[in-house]
């Protein structure tokens, strides 16, 4: 007589039949923790089911391996297996097609989401018009000969920029020389070593020295011409 489904033996039997693969008591106990069953109770349930012939078992040394009785399952013959393979292949093709369709729909949705709404377009247009107007006013002032920056202020700004840019360049060179000396014979990967030390290059924070270097060169050239 089969055990009640909510008893320890019933829960264990149902699990073993569902898994239909070799299991030891630890496998079963781990899987049935959600039922608050202790390993001792699970072991007793397995032994009771094995003794009553409701599950099969084999002993390997001190360990017992339990398995669902195979005579309770309908085992397909060769022809049925072939039909199952064909059906599985067809389902796999249908699944791949559905994934393709889903991917296309998701791409279309992303494309629609990236488009601006009418309200956003109007807001952007107003902002751009404001920027254009501001630039036109600045251009008029420049064309009329109005000095927007005092010569003394311009000189201070240029000197400050020149000093900071030169310090930046000098420190980049010093760091490179020091880093090359440290890592020359080091077995560590340079990228991992850099991350381990918490170091960041300019490029890591989206900063490029080249535009500033070109500005510095242009500034120095103007200074030479004006002398």
């Amino acid at each position: 007589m089969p055990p009640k489904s909510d008893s320890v033996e019933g829960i264990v039997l149902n699990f073993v039949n569902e898994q239909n693969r070799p299991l030891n008591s630890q496998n079963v106990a781990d899987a049935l923790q959600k039922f608050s069953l202790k390993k001792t109770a699970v072991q007793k349930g397995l032994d009771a089911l094995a003794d009553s012939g409701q599950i099969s078992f084999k002993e390997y040394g001190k360990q017992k391996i339990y398995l669902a009785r195979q005579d309770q399952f309908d085992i397909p013959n060769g022809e049925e297996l072939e039909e199952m393979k064909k059906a599985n292949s067809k389902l796999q093709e249908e699944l791949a097609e559905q994934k393709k369709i889903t991917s296309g729909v998701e791409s279309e949705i992303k494309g629609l989401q990236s488009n601006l709404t009418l309200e956003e377009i109007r807001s952007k247009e107003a902002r751009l018009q404001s920027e254009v107007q501001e630039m036109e006013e600045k251009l008029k002032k420049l064309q009329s000969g109005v000095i927007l920056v005092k010569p003394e202020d311009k000189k201070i700004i240029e000197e400050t920029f020149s000093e900071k840019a030169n310090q930046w360049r000098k420190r980049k060179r010093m760091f490179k020389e020091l880093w090359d000396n440290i890592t020359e014979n080091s077995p560590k990967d340079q990228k991992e070593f850099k991350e381990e030390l918490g170091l960041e290059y300019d490029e890591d924070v989206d900063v490029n020295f080249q535009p500033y270097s070109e500005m510095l060169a242009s500034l120095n050239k103007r200074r030479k011409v004006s002398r």
Side-chain angles (χ1 to χ4, degrees):
M1 182 177 177
K4 293 182 179 179
S5 60
D6 59 348
S7 66
V8 174
E9 291 181 20
I11 294 171
V12 171
L13 177 62
N14 184 54
F15 176 76
V16 173
N17 286 336
E18 281 182 352
Q19 294 297 304
N20 193 23
R21 61 184 177 87
L23 300 163
N24 59 33
S25 59
Q26 189 63 55
N27 298 147
V28 181
D30 290 342
L32 299 182
Q33 283 183 354
K34 58 185 177 181
F35 294 100
S36 301
L37 297 180
K38 294 183 179 180
K39 184 179 178 181
T40 305
V42 170
Q43 183 67 67
K44 288 181 179 179
L46 287 166
D47 290 338
L49 292 168
D51 291 342
S52 63
Q54 296 181 72
I55 62 174
S56 303
F57 79 96
K58 286 189 176 182
E59 293 189 58
Y60 296 91
K62 295 182 178 180
Q63 188 177 47
K64 287 184 179 180
I65 300 298
Y66 302 90
L67 180 68
R69 287 186 54 161
Q70 299 303 296
D71 56 5
Q72 64 180 310
F73 301 114
D74 293 328
I75 301 175
N77 56 35
E79 185 178 341
E80 289 173 332
L81 281 173
E82 190 62 31
E83 288 297 323
M84 290 170 67
K85 287 180 181 178
K86 289 180 181 179
N88 181 60
S89 179
K90 186 177 180 181
L91 288 172
Q92 290 294 335
E93 291 176 1
E94 291 177 359
L95 177 61
E97 184 63 26
Q98 287 299 320
K99 285 183 177 179
K100 186 177 179 181
I101 294 171
T102 301
S103 178
V105 172
E106 288 177 347
S107 297
E108 187 175 347
I109 291 172
K110 288 180 181 178
L112 291 172
Q113 289 176 339
S114 65
N115 293 333
L116 296 175
T117 64
L118 181 59
E119 184 179 350
E120 288 172 334
I121 291 172
R122 287 173 176 169
S123 175
K124 188 173 183 179
E125 180 185 14
R127 178 170 55 79
L128 291 173
Q129 286 178 345
S130 176
E131 290 178 1
V132 169
Q133 185 177 356
E134 184 179 342
M135 289 179 177
E136 287 177 345
E137 290 175 357
K138 287 183 178 180
L139 180 59
K140 286 179 182 178
K141 288 182 179 180
L142 290 171
Q143 289 173 337
S144 64
V146 176
I147 299 175
L148 301 179
V149 180
K150 295 179 181 180
E152 54 270 26
D153 291 339
K154 181 181 177 183
K155 183 180 179 182
I156 293 172
I157 292 170
E158 289 180 345
E159 288 177 350
T160 302
F161 170 76
S162 178
E163 180 189 356
K164 300 301 181 185
N166 283 323
Q167 287 182 3
W168 187 355
R169 175 185 288 163
K170 182 179 179 181
R171 291 180 182 182
K172 277 176 69 71
R173 185 175 64 251
M174 290 171 61
F175 171 78
K176 187 177 184 307
E177 291 174 355
L178 180 62
W179 181 254
D180 288 345
N181 289 332
I182 292 173
T183 59
E184 182 177 5
N185 297 315
S186 175
K188 285 190 174 182
D189 178 77
Q190 288 195 22
K191 185 177 180 181
E192 293 180 358
F193 190 29
K194 184 186 72 171
E195 292 177 353
E196 183 180 330
L197 297 175
L199 299 177
E200 290 182 331
Y201 292 166
D202 293 340
E203 295 77 11
D204 295 332
V205 290
D206 295 326
V207 175
N208 185 4
F209 180 69
Q210 185 61 32
Y212 300 98
S213 178
E214 292 172 358
M215 289 172 61
L216 181 60
S218 177
L219 177 60
N220 291 335
K221 186 177 180 181
R222 288 204 311 271
R223 285 179 173 177
K224 287 179 181 180
V225 172
S226 62
R227 287 175 182 174

